Amino acid sequence: MNLDWSIVWQSRGPLLEGALVTILLTALTMMIAVPGGIVLALMRGSRLRPVAWFATGFVELFRNLPLLLLVYWAFYVMPVLTGLGLPPFATGLAALCLNVSAYNSETFRSGINSIRRGQSEAGLALGMSRSEVFRQIVLPQAWRRVLPILASTWVSLFKDTSLVSVIAVGELAHTAMQIRSQSFRVLEMLTAMAAIYWLLGYPQAKIVDWIHRKYGVRE
Amino acid sequence: MTVFVRKNADKPPMLVYENVKKCYGTFMAVNGVSLHVNAGEVVCLIGPSGSGKSTLLRCTNALETIDGGEIRFEGKPLPTKDAEIRQIRQRMGMVFQSFELFPHKTALENVSIGLTTVKKMATEKARTRAIALLTKVGLADKTANYPANLSGGQQQRVAIARALAMEPHVMLFDEPTSALDPETVGEVLNVMRNLAQEGMTMIVVTHEMSFARRVANWVVVFERGQLLEQGPPQQIFEAPTIERTRDFLGHLGWSG
């Protein structure tokens, strides 16, 4: 078998760029899906029935669809439905946000529910409003409890961003696949891609382990 | 026989409960209770577990809403609007059985949070006030501690300081020593006794009979959501008029 690893080094520019897009996509998705998850979790707990139903429907729909399908759907169906012609990056981002917001919503919901009622009552008894109680007492405590789960979600998301390569978003997987099909260096490029994902993902996983140790619930 | 005159009996009462009812489904937790609390009085609510004393206390600051009757505070029925309830709650301090300190905040922050959040007091001013209150409950050296690094008795004293920070007109204590190790019960009761001596109006749900006897001006005995008997501690503890009050006190090993 004739291997030529020089292709990897020659492609370092595009690969680095792809890796940066992957990181950017992960970060942007979380920046939207964390507040999104909090809002959805609050909506699910709302006393207004239609609001709660809408949020429940949203979460159960997007949590239970394959992400790959969601990416295709966002690319082909969303522009028809909404009339918005988004570029691939924004389309991929939207699909990831729908999925991860739904997941984060469940994470936050369990975190919020794990804070016992007496804590809210102590805040209310001081004369605080419900929103003050939520922001000052419930959320900061829930936050610490859900941080390890959010960190795990981040690591999964980092790898799952590769799915948006199917709609030609220029992230790491798409870039590597492009180079592969132009150079016919299949084994080299797939190996390089695996190495890059692993080298970037491993430290993140270690950070998650550290967060679990530091913030994990010990009761 | 001398007639017992309650404290501030010549002034309008601070709190009036009139035929108060509270039910959970078909269970009547409080079933038609009427009593009143005068300014400066220490009223102890005693009775078996599940007799409705804590529920009545929680109805007082509208953590629970009543299903019948009326509660009047400083002459006005408890409001139903959220904003008005918040105003009322600022005038009622509450201390919980399980302390409910905020674990992500230091002792100082626990005491100052009501001042900064609700009263919109400047941080520095709130801090000074919080330190003064923690000093008052004997915890001047624990201001920077998180609740996890305080004993139960210390946590409960912080919780008392937290409630006092709002300058309440009445303090509601919901079994403040029931979750404490026996060795730390005394320090909390001491703080409460000092508070009573300063003239604070207090409603105390408690199983501490010696505290009720020595500190209370008025004792109310509950059973199954109803008021069994009320009177000055001398009467309740030495000459209860009702047989079941005697039974209850007898069960606790109280022998007059």
Side-chain angles (χ1 to χ4, degrees), chain B:
Chain B
M1 190 176 157
T2 52
V3 176
F4 182 85
V5 179
R6 285 178 70 170
K7 213 169 171 180
N8 285 324
D10 53 331
K11 300 194 183 91
M14 178 177 279
L15 265 163
V16 178
Y17 301 80
E18 216 168 77
N19 197 22
V20 173
K21 292 193 170 104
K22 172 72 191 175
C23 52
Y24 299 102
T26 55
F27 174 68
M28 293 295 283
V30 176
N31 193 359
V33 167
S34 301
L35 62 106
H36 71 270
V37 178
N38 292 336
E41 275 188 321
V42 176
V43 174
C44 281
L45 311 185
I46 65 172
S49 298
S51 59
K53 353 177 255 305
S54 286
T55 306
L56 189 76
L57 198 72
R58 292 165 56 80
C59 290
T60 311
N61 66 350
L63 286 181
E64 306 282 349
T65 49
I66 56 175
D67 299 310
E70 190 172 77
I71 299 176
R72 286 195 299 280
F73 176 55
E74 299 186 327
K76 292 192 190 114
L78 289 187
T80 48
K81 277 197 199 131
D82 211 45
E84 292 169 25
I85 290 173
R86 294 210 296 275
Q87 293 293 323
I88 295 292
R89 284 181 182 147
Q90 290 181 44
R91 289 186 264 149
M92 299 180 179
M94 190 168 208
V95 175
F96 299 85
Q97 180 177 351
S98 46
F99 329 133
E100 301 299 351
L101 288 186
F102 307 129
H104 57 302
K105 301 205 174 278
T106 62
L108 184 100
E109 289 164 341
N110 265 282
V111 179
S112 61
I113 188 173
L115 296 172
T116 52
T117 308
V118 181
K119 296 212 184 223
K120 314 289 178 206
M121 191 182 274
T123 317
E124 224 15 70
K125 212 176 151 198
R127 197 186 140 78
T128 312
R129 200 167 150 60
I131 290 172
L133 283 161
L134 285 169
T135 308
K136 184 188 165 95
V137 297
L139 294 170
D141 56 335
K142 303 285 183 196
T143 53
N145 284 44
Y146 283 90
N149 298 319
L150 295 171
S151 73
Q154 291 169 335
Q155 288 189 55
Q156 195 61 301
R157 285 187 281 154
V158 174
I160 293 173
R162 174 176 71 179
L164 288 175
M166 302 302 285
E167 300 184 300
H169 299 188
V170 57
M171 286 283 286
L172 312 173
F173 291 88
D174 189 5
E175 300 198 28
T177 58
S178 297
L180 293 175
D181 293 330
E183 65 265 30
T184 65
V185 168
E187 63 194 56
V188 171
L189 292 179
N190 266 334
V191 168
M192 291 170 63
R193 196 174 296 126
N194 291 340
L195 213 50
Q197 271 158 13
E198 288 169 21
M200 174 61 79
T201 312
M202 295 164 54
I203 307 179
V204 187
V205 173
T206 188
H207 295 291
E208 292 288 335
M209 291 307 140
S210 52
F211 176 85
R213 192 200 156 121
R214 277 194 240 123
V215 182
N217 308 109
W218 195 252
V219 177
V220 184
V221 188
F222 278 75
E223 193 190 58
R224 292 184 195 165
Q226 287 179 321
L227 202 157
L228 199 59
E229 184 173 2
Q230 59 178 328
Q234 298 85 331
Q235 177 200 316
I236 300 294
F237 290 105
E238 279 155 37
T241 53
I242 311 260
E243 177 67 36
R244 289 214 297 283
T245 303
R246 271 198 288 275
D247 289 348
F248 167 65
L249 293 172
H251 273 300
L252 292 173
W254 187 267
S255 50

Side-chain angles (χ1 to χ4, degrees), chain A residues 56-144:
Chain A
T56 306
F58 183 98
V59 169
E60 294 306 344
L61 177 64
F62 291 116
R63 193 166 68 120
N64 294 307
L65 284 177
L67 186 51
L68 183 63
L69 175 72
L70 212 50
V71 172
Y72 275 122
W73 183 86
F75 188 71
Y76 289 108
V77 185
M78 204 169 65
V80 180
L81 283 181
T82 63
L84 284 173
L86 292 176
F89 182 85
T91 306
L93 180 64
L96 290 170
C97 284
L98 288 175
N99 177 265
V100 181
S101 296
Y103 266 102
N104 285 353
S105 158
E106 287 303 277
T107 303
F108 276 107
R109 201 162 66 102
S110 65
I112 290 165
N113 289 344
S114 76
I115 307 302
R116 62 171 190 268
R117 211 172 131 210
Q119 285 285 302
S120 304
E121 288 178 346
L124 291 175
L126 287 171
M128 288 186 188
S129 67
R130 292 200 170 272
S131 76
E132 284 165 348
V133 166
F134 181 74
R135 279 179 287 130
Q136 303 235 22
I137 295 163
V138 178
L139 191 57
Q141 293 184 57
W143 184 254
R144 287 177 76 98

Side-chain angles (χ1 to χ4, degrees), chain A residues 2 9 23 27 47 50 78 151 179 190 213 217:
Chain A
N2 176 14
W9 182 245
I23 294 168
R47 275 175 288 186
M78 204 169 65
I179 299 167
L190 287 180
R213 280 198 303 275
V217 179

